[in-house]
Amino acid sequence: MMPVFACGSGLFSDGYINNLQVIGSVNTILVAKYADVYSKSSAYQAVPSIAFAGIVVGQLAFGFLSDHWSRANSLTLSTIILIVFTALATGSYYKGEAVGMFNMLTAWRFFVGVGIGGEYPAGSVGAAESTGELKAGTRHRWFILFTNTMINGGFVMGAFVPFVIASGTKNYEVMWRAALGVGIIFPLVLLYLRFKLEEPEDFTKNSMRRHTPYLLVFKFYGFRLFLVSLVWFLYNFSVYAFGIYSSTIVSGIYGKGAPLTQVFGWNTVINLFYLPGSILGAFISDWIGPKHALAIGVFVQAVVGFIMAGVYDKIKQNIAAFAVVYGIFLSLGEIGPGNNIGLLAAKTCATGVRGRYYGIAAAVGKIGAFVGTWVFPLIIKAGGNDTESAQYPFWVASSLCVLSAVITLTLIPTVGQDTIHNEDERFRLYLESQGWDTTQLGMGKVESAAPEAVVVEKVAEKQ
């Protein structure tokens, strides 16, 4: 159990440090402190979104490192990067100039993103492989509870901490720096556990550290990777944008003069709904399988989203009712793709390429999130009035939910309790049928380049 926790729980930092809640609240605080100097600067969009670029770099780089170097060492390195640059972001400063400070904060957050990006291919795939040692019938739930539920825990803490800080001080400078600085604590604790990690057994037996036949891998997994990546893109396009702008949406209901304690307080209530959806959904994924849990969850979410858009003009008059319905909308997203898209990415390919496969799918997902943070403000502005500006994002998000449900039901493969083992065997048989020497699989060290060259030449002759 502990290896699953140590590998997967670093994603708490994605929910807290990265871009959903804390940085959305920081954006709101910086607008309150600097007004037009910040809201009309490029940093207003760059600060929330630049980490996505770093995450994509980290996901791709650490996807390669986790397959070719080490799952455990890659995790440790990503944690160190995360700690160092979160501290630097917290202390952002440039000669006392506001704009210069905005630029430094933006730069440091890019590297924070690189550290978080490393958590995805190294941490999640390590967690998925470690679940093979757990009792059958419970493996999906433990993967979800120690990965996506940890992200959601970060969402809640990221909404709650700014509320607590805003309740205790009226100093905007203290508010935003303290909110970011708290994010250093969890990775520091986790670093100790990760120093003690060993490589998962599946990785030691089936890794492709010596040589990867990329053309064969593409033929075998290319289309499946495209589908998983597309569903992840569609989900993140909406959910990350909603997360970042949730405090703005609540503030819009209250009005521009609303106290930050009220805005952040209701934002915390809304984000609490992530947790029951994720926890309940973890068990549902074991009961009916991640494929069907994803499809059903995202389809029901679409229905709720369409209803919210239709009755928004009435429901916005009652902030409590709005928070509950909006929270249900978010909760259903966790039962569906929130819980299961990472699980599908981690378990629909063989161990030897899992880090790169997962890294690419997660990177495409983050690109969707990055696009969403830039497109959603345009969607909001497209509304002719306050009501339409709030309705349009729900129309768009709900339509994308329906598309995700259709893709998942018709094209995504079924994932069972023993899929990792079965997928390794299936991939091994495919490689052997293509003449590839499967004795290269595993953690063994290459004594010289010559034997591998001979194998490659023989494979070329057979093909």
Side-chain angles (χ1 to χ4, degrees), residues 95-120:
K95 299 180 180 179
E97 299 175 7
V99 175
M101 184 270 290
F102 300 155
N103 293 335
M104 294 304 296
L105 176 59
T106 302
W108 297 137
R109 277 188 48 74
F110 171 83
F111 291 103
V112 168
V114 173
I116 291 174
E119 294 287 340
Y120 279 81

Side-chain angles (χ1 to χ4, degrees), residues 271-295:
N271 283 279
L272 279 171
F273 281 87
Y274 280 111
L275 288 175
S278 181
I279 294 170
L280 174 62
F283 290 85
I284 292 174
S285 294
D286 269 330
W287 297 336
I288 67 175
K291 171 180 176 175
H292 294 99
L294 192 159

Side-chain angles (χ1 to χ4, degrees), residues 46-47 138 172 181 329 354 418 447:
V47 167
T138 67
Y172 291 137
F329 176 80
R354 185 167 292 122
D418 297 313
E447 297 180 1

